[in-house]
Each structure stands twice: as structure tokens, then as C-alpha cells.
Amino acid sequence: MQKSKLGLDFEKVEYARGLAKGIAQDVQTFVEQYTTVAVERTLCRLMGIDGVDDNDVPLPNVVVEALKDKGVLNEGALFFIANAMIQTGLSPQQIAEKVATDELDITKVVTTDPKAIADVLQPVIDESMARIRARRARREHYLDTIGEGPKPYLYIIVATGNIYEDVVQAQAGARQGADVIAVIRTTGQSLLDYVPYGATTEGFGGTFATQENFRIMRKALDEVGEEQGRYIRLCNYCSGLCMPEIAIMGAFEGLDVMLNDALYGILFRDINMQRTLIDQYMSRIINGFAGVIINTGEDNYLTTADAVEAAHTVLASDLINEQLALMAGLPEEQMGLGHAFEMDPMLENGFLLELAQAQMTREIFPKATLKYMPPTKFMTGNIFRGHIQDALFNMIGIWTHQGIQLLGMPTEAIHTPFMSDRYLSIENAKYIFNNMRSIGDEMEFKEGGICRNRAKEVLGNTIKLLEDITKEGLFTALEKGIFGDVKRPKNGGKGLSGVTMKGANYLNPFIELMKGKR
């Protein structure tokens, strides 16, 4: 058993992990009985269906809505598409186009035997899997040849609303030293029940996540990565009502990191908890297969609750998220479990409390690629103090061996910071990381001191919370408001109408293939 610098009782840690596993298994039992419109649209995309109809409605939406309107979506989009392929000799794309023009009703095609369906699907499945494997191999080739920056990866955001302007900002950030470029999504995209098509130039507070935008940015980062002699990772968001669809688009286009957390969608976007947990499962299967690191959203709880009092909710959520990810076949190394330095800067010894929590998270999740968020809640007004807060945050990041460091910067509140401020923030992090590279290996934590006591307190509170959730079940616990002081109804929120129980003919061969084969 590993030795804890904080004196953590690992028997208690494993007890907490066992509670989280039980909670996750309860959720998983529910999830595996259902599908959603987003999952079925994802399967259409895996079959090669893309593009829009004459009204700019994405063809995956057209096909799935046709099945939903006929009341047969629970039998699975793949079943009807494969059946139509056998009877018509058309490709999935051609079938979708005919559905869009009302030339074909795929629910009325004569049903064929299961073996014929499996035979016609196999080449299409193989092609999609090969496409994702090729993208993953391309990333691994870059890492083997030009390499990458050291951890913690320096993570910055771009959010102009125009993908072509984002490219300019992203390449400038990479040249300044960034390792991960996150393209922020336009305000409200998480609540759209479709994915826009093509390159976009008119987002607000961010740029639409589309497959073409992913392609454009991936190409731009590969160019600047070759120029700089290190691989630059691309991050976007597969959260909201289209979690698995955006995950598959990212897998096809070579994204490296995805924000991916159902609890965030439930609490902060009022998305129906049943729908989004089903969608999350499919999206994480895809991300696992594609080698994509997921970032979870626990840090957001602390923006609505006191960071000292609510610290245990972050750890409890990390533990539940870890178990849900493992059930989707996602390796620990691809888990960017979230936490943040959101304490009031006027709090006495706040640095020590946060140092304890960051070290505790690293020790509890030793293999994970942890994502560390900067102090944002208290950074309005005094940008000079904010820059010092970011320096303290960077010290904890290198001290506790974080995986991804989302850099804070003086003008980050406008989402597209001044390039000079971005430079200052990257310089700040690089300076501290270089000068303090081995501090985590050198320093010990005093027996009975502030840090050890804080870690013990947070772990104890986490166990109590997980015990309470075990009694209630996650759905009921969320309804009662245990994370971030937000209550959500089990049978409410956005997207509930998109959930359907699977029927006898339900078909999704991608799940076990992606979970079982890397």
C-alpha cells in the first residue's frame, strides 16, 4: 500500500471508494436499460451519416426524429438503418438523405434476420473504428517524434466566437508556451439538442463546437506544434444535450481533451439527470477508445458554495466520477478529475488548506491526470492581487504533481484575454514550475499540523456524504441538493423527452467493441 505524506488512512480511502462504487453501480444498472436521442444520433454518426437537410437540420437528427415519431426508437437506429441497407442496397448516408426527403420510411422496410444485419453492419463498424484508431495513432506518433511539454500541462482558453480568429489566438498561445488549447463553446450550446454543421464565425462568449471547427483547429495546432517542436493538445466540451455526439466528432478529428461531466450538466444547466447520465456513459466509452482525457466539473461546485465548507463534495464527486468512468472502460490515466483553488484570498492559512486538498487528491488518485482550476470566484476588481493568487495556485500545482494546470490571467473574465496578459500568466507558471520543480519530493507535512488535519477532516466528511448518498441513491440525493447547494427534480429538467427504454431488438455493437479494444 502506498505511503501518504499527509498520513491519510488508506483503509478509509478504500472504504470511500467502495461506497462510490456502489453508488455508481446503482446508476449504471439504470443507464444500461435506456437509450436517448443523443446516443442514437451518435450511432448514426458512427455509421457515417453527416450533413444537413434543406432546412439545415443535421441528418442524424432527421433519422432519429423519424424513428421517435413512429414510436420505435427503443429498437435502435442501427437496427433500422442496417435493415434498410440490406433491402435497398444503399449506404447509411444515402438512406438518411432519402429519409430527409420522405422518399424512404425505414420503419416499413421488411425485417431481415439478425445474422444478415450483423453482416451488413460489420464493414461500416470496422471503418469507423479504424478511423478513430488512425487519429489516436497520429497523436501517439507526434508524441513519439516531437514530444510534449512537461506536466502540469499549461492550459489556456480561446473564445472569440469566430473559429478563424480562435486559430490566431491559439497559435499565439502555443508559441507563448501553452500545452493545451481549450476552445470555449458559445453561450448556450450545451442546451441545443443538435450539433451545428460547418465552420462558424458568430459565437457569443465562445465558438460553436462543430466537427469542421474541430478539424480546422486540429490542423492549426499540428502546424504550430511542428514549428515549436512539441505536441499541442486540443480541448473542447462534450457536455450538455449532445455529449456522445460531440465525443464522436472529437474522436474523428483528433481532439485530446474533453470536458465531460453529467453532474455539471444537471446542476448548472438543469439537464435531466436520467438523460445526461445515459449520454455520459456512451460519451466516455468513445473517449476511452479514442485516448481522450476527460475533464470533470467538480471545481464548479465551489463557485456556488463556500470552498472550505464544501470541499468534501468535490472529493465525493471525484470518487463517483472515477467509478462511472471505469464502468465505461475509461483508464485512470485519462481521468482529469477536477478541483479548484476557490478559497477567499483573505482567509488565514488558505494556502495551506488548499495545499492539503490538492495533495490529498493526488494521493487518492495516483494515476489520474488531474485538472487543477485557478481561483476565479474572488478575482474581480484587483487584477494585481489576482496575479499573485495565480502564482500561489501555480505553486500548489507543481508541489502536488497536478496533470493539467488551467492558467488564471488578469483579463480572463472577458474569456479572450489580452495576449500580453496571457504571456504574463504563462511566464508566471513556467517560472514557478522551473524553480519549484522538485518541491513536492523534498517537503514533508508536519504530524498533527494544519495540512494533515485538513486532509483528515475532508476525507471524514466525504465518507459521511457518500454514506448518505448510498442510502438515498444518487438521483434522490441530487434532488435533495447535496452538491453546490442546487436541487434538481428527478423527472424534470431539459431533455427528459429524449429518453426511451430499450426494446427487444435494441442494437449497439459499438459499446463492447470500444470498451474491450484499445
Side-chain angles (χ1 to χ4, degrees), residues 99-117:
V99 171
T101 57
D102 294 325
E103 296 176 64
L104 178 63
D105 183 347
I106 57 176
T107 67
K108 292 183 177 177
V109 177
V110 178
T111 305
T112 2
D113 69 275
K115 184 179 184 309
I117 287 178

Side-chain angles (χ1 to χ4, degrees), residues 293-296 298 332 334-338 368-371 404:
I293 296 169
I294 64 163
N295 285 345
T296 55
E298 285 81 9
E332 292 174 70
Q334 288 173 229
M335 297 181 196
L337 300 170
T369 301
L370 302 177
K371 181 195 73 170
I404 298 173

Side-chain angles (χ1 to χ4, degrees), residues 157-172 181-186 189 196-221 223 234-237 253 255 416:
I157 62 174
V158 297
T160 70
N162 181 326
I163 188 60
Y164 302 106
E165 290 296 326
D166 282 349
V167 163
V168 174
Q169 293 277 334
Q171 289 188 326
I181 308 294
V183 182
I184 304 298
R185 282 194 305 183
T186 186
Q189 185 176 352
Y197 182 75
T200 64
T201 59
E202 295 182 338
F204 179 79
T207 304
F208 283 98
T210 74
Q211 190 164 337
E212 178 63 10
N213 285 348
F214 291 173
R215 187 196 66 77
I216 290 168
M217 186 59 79
R218 176 73 274 159
K219 181 174 181 290
L221 295 186
E223 289 172 358
L234 173 56
C235 173
N236 212 286
Y237 295 67
E253 300 302 334
L255 269 75
T416 301

Side-chain angles (χ1 to χ4, degrees), residues 200-448:
T200 64
T201 59
E202 295 182 338
F204 179 79
T207 304
F208 283 98
T210 74
Q211 190 164 337
E212 178 63 10
N213 285 348
F214 291 173
R215 187 196 66 77
I216 290 168
M217 186 59 79
R218 176 73 274 159
K219 181 174 181 290
L221 295 186
D222 286 346
E223 289 172 358
V224 76
E226 290 171 6
E227 169 200 303
Q228 294 292 304
R230 71 183 195 286
Y231 183 65
I232 309 298
R233 284 176 164 80
L234 173 56
C235 173
N236 212 286
Y237 295 67
C238 65
S239 54
L241 289 173
C242 297
M243 293 177 86
E245 282 187 275
I246 294 177
I248 200 58
M249 292 176 177
F252 283 155
E253 300 302 334
L255 269 75
D256 308 282
V257 185
M258 280 284 195
L259 279 289
N260 179 252
D261 188 357
L263 294 182
Y264 172 79
I266 294 164
L267 297 174
F268 297 95
R269 294 291 180 262
D270 191 24
I271 294 173
N272 174 261
M273 63 178 75
Q274 298 172 5
R275 158 117 179 226
T276 196
L277 282 162
I278 299 163
D279 287 344
Q280 176 180 266
Y281 176 55
M282 185 66 181
S283 65
R284 289 185 174 180
I285 288 170
I286 294 165
N287 285 326
F289 182 69
V292 171
I293 296 169
I294 64 163
N295 285 345
T296 55
E298 285 81 9
D299 48 271
N300 291 282
Y301 307 161
L302 303 182
T303 64
T304 61
D306 182 82
V308 177
E309 294 177 3
H312 62 288
T313 66
V314 172
L315 179 56
S317 181
D318 279 333
L319 286 162
I320 294 169
N321 249 322
E322 175 194 45
Q323 294 304 312
L324 288 170
L326 288 171
M327 289 173 187
L330 194 99
E332 292 174 70
E333 292 79 3
Q334 288 173 229
M335 297 181 196
L337 300 170
H339 59 303
F341 190 176
E342 287 286 10
M343 294 182 189
D344 186 336
M346 297 298 103
L347 177 70
E348 184 174 337
N349 287 322
F351 179 87
L352 294 180
L353 298 181
E354 176 56 29
L355 178 61
Q357 289 162 198
Q359 178 67 24
M360 175 188 66
T361 307
R362 171 43 72 204
E363 291 186 8
I364 292 174
F365 306 101
K367 296 180 182 179
T369 301
L370 302 177
K371 181 195 73 170
Y372 196 28
M373 294 283 288
T376 56
K377 187 163 63 173
F378 297 97
M379 286 185 63
T380 55
N382 188 339
I383 62 171
F384 301 103
R385 187 180 74 189
H387 197 54
I388 301 302
Q389 285 178 257
D390 287 334
L392 295 175
F393 160 73
N394 290 333
M395 288 171 64
I396 292 176
I398 192 66
W399 193 323
T400 60
H401 304 291
Q402 299 299 306
I404 298 173
Q405 192 89 350
L406 200 166
L407 301 185
M409 49 199 69
T411 50
E412 73 174 324
I414 62 174
H415 263 206
T416 301
F418 301 143
M419 287 189 182
S420 55
D421 288 344
R422 184 184 288 138
Y423 172 78
L424 287 174
S425 294
I426 292 173
E427 183 185 58
N428 175 325
K430 291 172 76 173
Y431 174 68
I432 289 171
F433 289 176
N434 183 57
N435 275 270
M436 303 181 74
R437 178 64 59 186
S438 301
I439 191 169
D441 300 322
E442 291 290 317
M443 296 295 154
E444 300 291 337
F445 293 94
K446 174 183 168 185
E447 181 78 40

Side-chain angles (χ1 to χ4, degrees), residues 174-192:
R175 291 186 181 107
Q176 290 172 335
D179 301 303
V180 183
I181 308 294
V183 182
I184 304 298
R185 282 194 305 183
T186 186
T187 301
Q189 185 176 352
S190 60
L191 299 181
L192 297 181

